[in-house]
């Protein structure tokens, strides 16, 4: 496949096309600056300089100190590390973890595993729009709670979670409060984050969701928060994440962050505009479409999720693909099984609605024509599929 | 480079720390950064395309070690593979026993993982090596107990280049029903590996040591061997390792493996010749030098010497000024002042261990590179020894 103007990629929450500047920066590193940052010679120093420059770029976009950014192999590792690392450093009297019911599989699978090995796990429910209630989350906190993990932007339906309120509430619990982890993989760069003011202790980000390379992410760790490493060895990343640094990947991630630092204001405004246009278009061609997630308030700029009752999401996906429009039925990480999305079900939707959901996700690359083409492809696809539409009682 | 005014040549002799990405490998990766950027889990054609590329790479990686493609799990690198193999087996087989065996000269990714498991309550035996850095299979056999569940001994030692008798150790492990893991990061692509012939249950590979990209590695897991995953989430890598696949990295790794396999016999012979020329030249031209590691059972690209009465770091700095990149041991610990745990395990004194230098040869190196090193190294040693407070006369 290659990007040509006739293809409409509306699956940017699965992964994004790297910015050309990212690829250029990485190519030069692959070819020439290939040293190991731990080496005691010029090639090593040069590699180390690239890593620290990128660390600054990532820290800058997140608004934190650069010594608080720890590179990982991606968002999944960052999420796993945030939770497992906290539990390992906290001691045995902390036996309880809290998460929202609509977290990404890389958090929910950890919760599932923890339950199996004897931890107490509380999953906070969400409202019809996919939002947790901060008061309810806080009410779950006990003496033995180690971590509260709530995502910034829900990856399937685009709900912005009340992280500021949860962080503020946790801060009032005093020094023995649980630590606050935010999976910001879907929100980073695309909505505002105030790590300090919101009282965030740990925050996960991923490069390939913001037009950086795959295979790289980071965990922010607030100063003073004790963390056990998940991966042991040569002691890279201040001893907290061993393994030879993925220098080109890190450099590419840094360049992507630099670009977002410049474009984010405009990109967000543009994507919010496109989102509105897309929602209007979908409703015009299929008035029975049911929006999953928030209408405007508390919505991320790049995600739109609709159910098309009477159809299977997968069938629509392939009908759209035939028309060169690429979408997903939910999280890419679980999209290979055709079960109803647990996230859509958690919003209180019916199984029929969950099975007919389609996620459209945009990026700064998305143009007005892409949205219009998506809507007309959808109209065409639904017309083709209409004879097979199931009557709902 | 401005800090190297006297360098008449750039000679990279640190291929055990990392290698450049080969042009062919980069060319294979490029399409997956640009047009073919899909998520391999997506159910549309962008996703299928990425998935096919991963499957293709998996076959190439498997082929290099004579494994089946579905026995290869991709990871973020050698360190993660080591951690996953050891922790994954320890957790999965905890009910079968509490005893683990490894050697004293493993890479820190292995050693530190075993130390962490020790703190968690596992019993760990660290078997010693001889003065050549060789592990005695019989020593491993004697360490086995009824409750032993895992043996991990590396294949090619990363600092001194000794090739360990993994086939024999693997046979002993199998005879006792114990799983056997080997960290083959330094030997893959340099010496032939057949996981079945060599009785290996788990084997660690890294891409950036064989001219592939950084940030990707693999773990060979023999069919039927159960592991507890260390990263959970999506259904990637047969649920053994979650996280969106690093598609370009994996594609590059596959291509690097394919090339390594095709070129192995000839490149291995070529490197061995250069290696022996460098060893011989150093031993002949510089007094009070000892070769570390086994003289024959040795990786084709490894030279490790101790230059007595000197600090390895000061030699490195001077070599760097002359355009020669080498190391004093493992890159991962080269920032620390601790002498190498490997050299100490081989019985070297702290002083001798401090004076160690590792030259790791690779694809780009030529006879002229070796000649250049043999020309610039002896005067550096002579100059530093003249300034050194310790020396043959001081009793050290």
């Amino acid at each position: 496949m290659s990007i040509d103007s006739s293809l409409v990629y509306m699956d940017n929450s699965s992964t994004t096309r790297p910015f050309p500047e990212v690829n250029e920066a990485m190519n030069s590193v692959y070819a020439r600056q290939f040293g190991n940052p731990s080496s005691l010679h010029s090639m090593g120093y040069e590699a180390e300089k690239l890593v620290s420059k990128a660390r600054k770029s990532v820290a800058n976009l997140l608004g934190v100190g650069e010594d608080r950014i720890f590179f990982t192999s991606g968002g999944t590792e960052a999420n796993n590390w945030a939770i497992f690392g906290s539990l390992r450093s906290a001691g045995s009297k902390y036996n309880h973890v809290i998460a929202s019911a609509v977290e990404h599989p890389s958090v929910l699978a950890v919760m599932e595993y923890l339950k199996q090995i004897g931890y107490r796990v509380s999953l906070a429910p969400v409202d019809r729009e996919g939002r947790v209630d901060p008061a309810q989350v806080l009410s779950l906190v006990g003496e033995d709670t180690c971590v509260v993990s709530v995502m910034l932007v829900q990856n399937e339906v685009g709900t912005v979670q009340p992280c500021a309120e949860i962080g503020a509430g946790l801060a009032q619990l005093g020094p023995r409060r649980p630590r606050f982890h935010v999976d910001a993989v879907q929100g980073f760069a695309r909505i505002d984050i105030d790590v300090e003011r919101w009282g965030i202790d740990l925050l996960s980000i991923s490069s390939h969701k913001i037009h950086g390379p795959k295979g790289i992410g980071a965990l922010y760790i607030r100063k003073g928060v004790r963390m056990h490493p998940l991966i042991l060895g040569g002691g890279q990343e201040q001893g907290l994440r061993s393994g030879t640094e993925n220098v080109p990947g890190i450099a590419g991630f840094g360049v992507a962050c630099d670009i977002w630092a410049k474009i984010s204001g405009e990109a967000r405004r543009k994507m919010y505009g496109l989102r509105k246009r897309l929602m209007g278009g979908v409703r015009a061609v299929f008035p029975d479409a049911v929006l999953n997630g928030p209408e405007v308030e508390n919505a991320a700029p790049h995600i739109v999720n609709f159910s098309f009752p009477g159809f299977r999401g997968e069938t629509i996906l392939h009908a759209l693909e035939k028309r060169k429009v690429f979408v997903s039925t939910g999280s890419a990480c679980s999209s290979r099984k055709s079960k109803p999305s647990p996230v859509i079900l958690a919003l209180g939707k019916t199984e029929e609605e969950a099975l007919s959901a389609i996620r459209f996700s945009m990026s700064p690359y998305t143009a007005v024509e892409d949205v219009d083409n998506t809507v007309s492809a959808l109209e065409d696809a639904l017309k083709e599929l209409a004879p097979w539409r199931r009557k709902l009682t | 480079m401005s800090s190297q005014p006297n360098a008449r040549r750039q000679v990279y002799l640190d291929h055990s720390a990392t290698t450049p990405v080969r042009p062919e490998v980069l060319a294979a990766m490029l399409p997956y950064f640009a047009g073919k950027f899909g998520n391999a889990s997506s159910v549309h054609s962008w996703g299928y395309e990425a998935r096919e590329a991963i499957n293709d790479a998996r076959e190439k990686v498997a082929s290099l070690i004579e494994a089946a493609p579905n026995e290869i799990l991709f990871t973020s690198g050698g360190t993660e593979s080591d951690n996953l193999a050891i922790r994954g087996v320890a957790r999965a087989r905890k009910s079968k026993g509490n005893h683990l065996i490894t050697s004293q000269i493993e890479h820190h990714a292995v050693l530190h993982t075993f130390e962490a498991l020790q703190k968690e309550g596992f019993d760990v035996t660290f078997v010693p090596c001889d003065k050549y850095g060789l592990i005695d299979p019989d020593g491993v056999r004697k360490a086995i107990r009824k409750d032993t569940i895992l043996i991990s001994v590396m294949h090619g030692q990363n600092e001194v280049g000794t090739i360990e008798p993994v086939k024999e150790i693997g046979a002993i492990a199998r005879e006792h029903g114990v799983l056997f893991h080997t960290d083959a990061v330094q030997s893959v692509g340099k010496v032939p590996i057949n996981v079945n012939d060599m009785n290996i249950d788990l084997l660690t590979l890294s891409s950036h040591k064989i001219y592939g990209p950084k940030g990707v590695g693999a773990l060979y897991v023999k069919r039927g061997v159960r592991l507890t995953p260390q990263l959970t989430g999506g259904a990637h890598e047969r649920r053994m390792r979650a996280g969106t696949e690093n598609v370009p990295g994996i594609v590059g790794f596959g291509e690097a493996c394919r090339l390594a396999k095709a070129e192995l016999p000839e490149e291995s012979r070529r490197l061995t010749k250069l290696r022996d020329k460098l060893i011989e030249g150093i031993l002949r031209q510089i007094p009070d030098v000892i070769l570390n590691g086994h003289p024959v059972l040795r990786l084709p690209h490894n030279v490790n010497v101790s230059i007595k009465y000197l600090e390895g770091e000061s030699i490195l700095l001077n070599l760097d000024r002359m355009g020669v990149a080498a190391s004093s041991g493992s890159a991962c610990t080269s920032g620390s002042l601790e002498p190498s745990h490997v050299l100490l395990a081989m019985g070297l004194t702290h002083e001798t261990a401090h004076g160690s230098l590792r030259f790791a040869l690779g694809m780009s190196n030529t006879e002229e590179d070796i000649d250049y090193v043999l020309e610039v190294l002896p005067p550096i040693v002579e100059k530093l020894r003249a300034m050194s407070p310790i020396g043959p006369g001081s009793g050290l």
Side-chain angles (χ1 to χ4, degrees):
Chain A
M1 307 281 308
S2 60
I3 288 283
D4 70 53
S5 50
S6 69
L7 302 180
V8 183
Y9 186 74
M10 296 289 271
D11 197 11
N12 288 284
S13 288
S14 294
T15 192
T16 59
R17 169 164 59 127
F19 291 127
E21 295 88 336
V22 166
N23 290 337
E24 275 162 41
M26 290 176 71
N27 289 351
S28 129
V29 180
Y30 279 122
R32 286 182 293 278
Q33 297 157 307
F34 63 84
N36 184 324
S38 300
S39 291
L40 286 177
H41 48 66
S42 314
M43 294 293 297
Y45 296 137
E46 207 177 325
E48 169 54 34
K49 263 195 282 179
L50 287 170
V51 171
S52 39
K53 180 168 171 256
R55 203 185 303 279
K56 258 183 217 151
S57 302
V58 176
N60 175 48
L61 186 59
L62 194 57
V64 300
E66 59 195 81
D67 61 331
R68 300 288 91 209
I69 297 293
F70 298 82
F71 289 115
T72 66
S73 66
T76 291
E77 183 188 329
N79 280 342
N80 273 251
W81 182 20
I83 299 163
F84 284 128
S86 291
L87 288 168
R88 282 182 200 166
S89 63
S92 55
K93 61 177 181 288
Y94 291 92
N95 189 46
H96 179 226
V97 285
I98 299 170
S100 88
V102 295
E103 294 299 306
H104 186 266
S106 58
V107 170
L108 284 184
V110 173
M111 296 296 152
E112 195 48 47
Y113 175 77
L114 290 174
K115 220 189 287 179
Q116 281 171 24
I117 60 172
Y119 282 90
R120 202 157 64 78
V121 173
S122 306
L123 297 182
V126 294
D127 64 18
R128 299 276 306 173
E129 295 191 346
R131 224 164 179 253
V132 292
D133 172 7
Q136 193 169 19
V137 172
L138 293 165
S139 75
L140 296 169
V141 174
E143 291 262 296
D144 60 342
T145 310
C146 179
V147 198
V148 176
S149 182
V150 176
M151 69 208 313
L152 182 58
V153 168
Q154 210 296 319
N155 55 305
E156 291 187 37
V157 298
T159 314
V160 178
Q161 299 293 0
C163 289
E165 290 87 337
I166 296 168
L170 289 172
Q172 286 175 358
L173 299 178
R176 285 201 48 202
R177 69 186 178 86
R179 53 183 67 179
F180 184 29
H181 168 241
V182 173
D183 169 4
V185 166
Q186 285 292 346
F188 179 53
R190 285 147 301 181
I191 70 163
D192 281 323
I193 308 173
D194 196 330
V195 173
E196 289 293 327
R197 273 198 29 225
W198 296 1
I200 296 170
D201 297 304
L202 303 157
L203 180 133
S204 308
I205 53 179
S206 164
S207 156
H208 77 102
K209 309 282 193 196
I210 63 156
H211 304 277
K214 293 180 180 62
I216 192 79
L219 184 67
Y220 157 83
I221 306 176
R222 177 196 287 276
K223 201 178 200 114
V225 168
R226 267 187 38 149
M227 274 295 273
H228 263 44
L230 201 61
I231 296 180
L232 304 172
Q236 289 88 347
E237 299 296 294
Q238 302 181 43
L240 288 180
R241 205 294 187 180
S242 291
T244 299
E245 296 87 340
N246 176 358
V247 184
I250 290 171
F253 191 13
V255 170
C257 288
D258 286 342
I259 293 174
W260 275 97
K262 284 186 217 133
I263 65 162
S264 68
E266 200 197 318
R268 290 173 196 181
R269 268 191 303 280
K270 180 183 153 194
M271 289 191 290
Y272 273 123
L274 294 177
R275 185 174 182 273
K276 199 175 159 196
R277 190 182 183 96
L278 178 59
M279 286 164 61
V282 170
R283 284 166 168 156
V285 302
F286 193 76
D288 295 344
V290 180
L291 179 71
N292 300 310
E295 184 73 34
V296 177
E297 208 183 331
N298 301 320
H302 60 301
I303 296 176
V304 175
N305 190 311
F306 274 107
S307 289
F308 299 89
F311 298 98
R312 288 284 147 165
E314 243 182 270
T315 315
I316 299 175
L317 181 149
H318 290 299
L320 285 175
E321 182 176 17
K322 228 164 69 184
R323 293 162 176 83
K324 298 184 174 180
V325 173
F326 301 88
V327 298
S328 81
T329 52
S331 156
C333 296
S334 45
S335 61
R336 279 150 65 80
K337 32 178 202 250
S338 54
K339 283 188 210 145
S341 155
V343 172
I344 310 283
L345 292 177
L347 268 57
K349 303 294 171 90
T350 63
E351 184 152 320
E352 175 56 37
E353 285 166 333
L355 280 167
S356 63
I358 289 286
R359 176 183 70 182
F360 306 88
S361 49
M362 297 176 289
S363 88
Y365 279 124
T366 312
V368 174
E369 300 78 63
D370 293 329
V371 169
D372 293 347
N373 288 338
T374 301
V375 172
S376 52
L378 180 70
E379 185 176 19
D380 202 36
L382 292 178
K383 225 175 265 168
E384 182 199 26
L385 299 174
W388 291 278
R389 185 177 180 184
R390 275 164 298 126
K391 287 245 160 48
L392 303 170
T393 46
Chain B
M1 276 167 238
S2 55
S3 61
Q4 306 173 319
N6 299 319
R8 277 171 285 118
R9 208 180 168 85
Q10 295 292 328
V11 182
Y12 186 76
L13 283 170
D14 202 8
H15 290 89
S16 286
T18 191
T19 61
V21 170
R22 295 176 68 148
E24 305 93 309
V25 168
L26 187 56
M29 294 168 69
L30 287 180
Y32 295 90
F33 281 122
K36 305 180 177 187
F37 63 84
N39 184 321
S41 299
S42 292
V43 289
H44 49 63
S45 29
W46 250 294
Y48 290 132
E49 179 178 69
R51 175 134 308 271
E52 265 174 39
I54 291 174
N55 289 342
D56 183 50
R58 206 185 299 279
E59 276 176 29
K60 292 174 179 169
V61 175
S63 163
L64 181 58
I65 58 169
E66 311 292 340
N70 63 5
E71 294 175 315
I72 299 294
L73 297 179
F74 287 113
T75 67
S76 68
T79 293
E80 187 192 331
S81 294
D82 282 338
N83 276 251
L84 171 59
I86 297 161
R87 254 182 217 282
V89 168
R91 296 243 192 286
R93 292 173 62 106
K94 204 175 167 149
S95 61
K96 293 195 169 74
N98 198 47
H99 181 235
L100 313 163
I101 298 172
T102 188
S103 86
Q104 292 178 356
I105 57 167
E106 297 297 312
H107 187 272
H108 280 140
V110 169
L111 274 186
H112 290 337
T113 303
F114 276 110
E115 285 160 9
L117 289 171
Q118 215 172 8
K119 276 189 202 148
E120 286 175 28
F122 283 94
D123 249 352
V124 184
T125 302
F126 297 88
V127 298
C129 64
D130 70 8
K131 64 177 177 171
Y132 297 117
L134 208 57
I135 311 287
D136 178 8
D138 236 30
V140 175
R141 182 196 298 277
K142 281 177 192 140
I144 295 177
R145 314 191 312 212
K146 270 210 173 75
D147 60 341
T148 306
I149 52 174
L150 174 69
I151 297 169
S152 177
V153 173
M154 70 200 315
H155 188 207
Q157 213 294 323
N158 55 306
E159 292 186 32
V160 299
T162 303
I163 298 174
E164 304 298 345
V166 295
K167 184 177 178 174
E168 290 76 7
I169 296 172
I172 292 167
R174 201 149 286 178
E175 196 184 299
H176 290 81
V178 177
L179 288 181
F180 177 51
H181 165 249
T182 188
D183 174 349
V185 165
Q186 292 292 343
S187 59
V188 161
K190 305 292 190 309
V191 293
I193 295 177
N194 181 323
V195 285
N196 298 308
D197 283 0
M198 292 163 79
N199 309 308
I200 296 164
D201 296 310
L202 302 117
L203 179 141
T204 296
L205 306 93
S206 166
S207 155
H208 77 102
K209 312 281 192 193
I210 58 165
Y211 311 95
K214 293 181 179 63
V216 60
L219 181 66
Y220 157 78
V221 185
K222 192 182 176 62
R223 191 186 314 234
V225 170
R226 293 255 309 272
L227 282 184
T228 302
Q230 300 301 295
L231 294 180
T232 61
H236 316 90
E237 298 296 303
R238 293 187 287 122
R239 295 206 162 275
M240 299 310 288
R241 200 284 183 179
T244 298
E245 295 89 342
N246 177 358
V247 184
I250 289 171
V251 167
F253 184 20
E255 187 60 10
C257 287
R258 188 185 70 77
L259 291 164
K261 187 173 186 187
E263 296 168 7
L264 194 150
E266 200 186 317
E267 180 65 359
S268 170
R269 266 196 299 278
R270 193 185 74 87
L271 290 176
T272 304
K273 254 175 75 183
L274 292 180
R275 176 196 78 186
D276 291 343
K277 179 183 165 108
L278 182 56
I279 292 175
E280 205 181 295
I282 291 174
L283 294 179
R284 196 178 58 236
Q285 294 185 37
I286 305 174
D288 295 322
V289 172
I290 56 167
L291 176 70
N292 296 317
H294 200 281
V296 183
L297 298 171
R298 187 178 196 98
L299 292 171
H301 65 304
N302 175 288
V303 174
N304 188 311
V305 289
S306 280
I307 314 251
K308 286 193 181 173
Y309 323 122
L310 289 183
E311 295 279 334
E313 274 76 15
S314 52
I315 309 174
L316 280 186
L317 207 69
N318 281 276
L319 280 173
D320 191 38
R321 284 191 191 132
M322 298 303 290
V324 178
S327 87
S328 57
S330 156
C332 299
T333 48
S334 59
S336 84
L337 293 172
E338 288 286 300
S340 150
H341 67 284
V342 178
L343 297 176
L344 294 182
M346 287 160 59
L348 269 67
T349 64
H350 272 63
E351 289 74 17
T352 312
H354 268 304
S356 71
L357 281 184
R358 180 185 69 181
F359 300 98
L361 290 79
M363 226 171 67
S364 67
N365 296 131
T366 59
E367 288 232 16
E368 288 74 36
D369 287 346
I370 306 302
D371 291 335
Y372 181 70
V373 174
L374 290 174
E375 182 194 324
V376 301
L377 180 61
I380 290 173
V381 171
E382 201 175 327
K383 183 186 80 182
L384 290 173
R385 276 184 178 163
M387 304 184 322
S388 171
I390 53 173
S394 69
L396 285 167

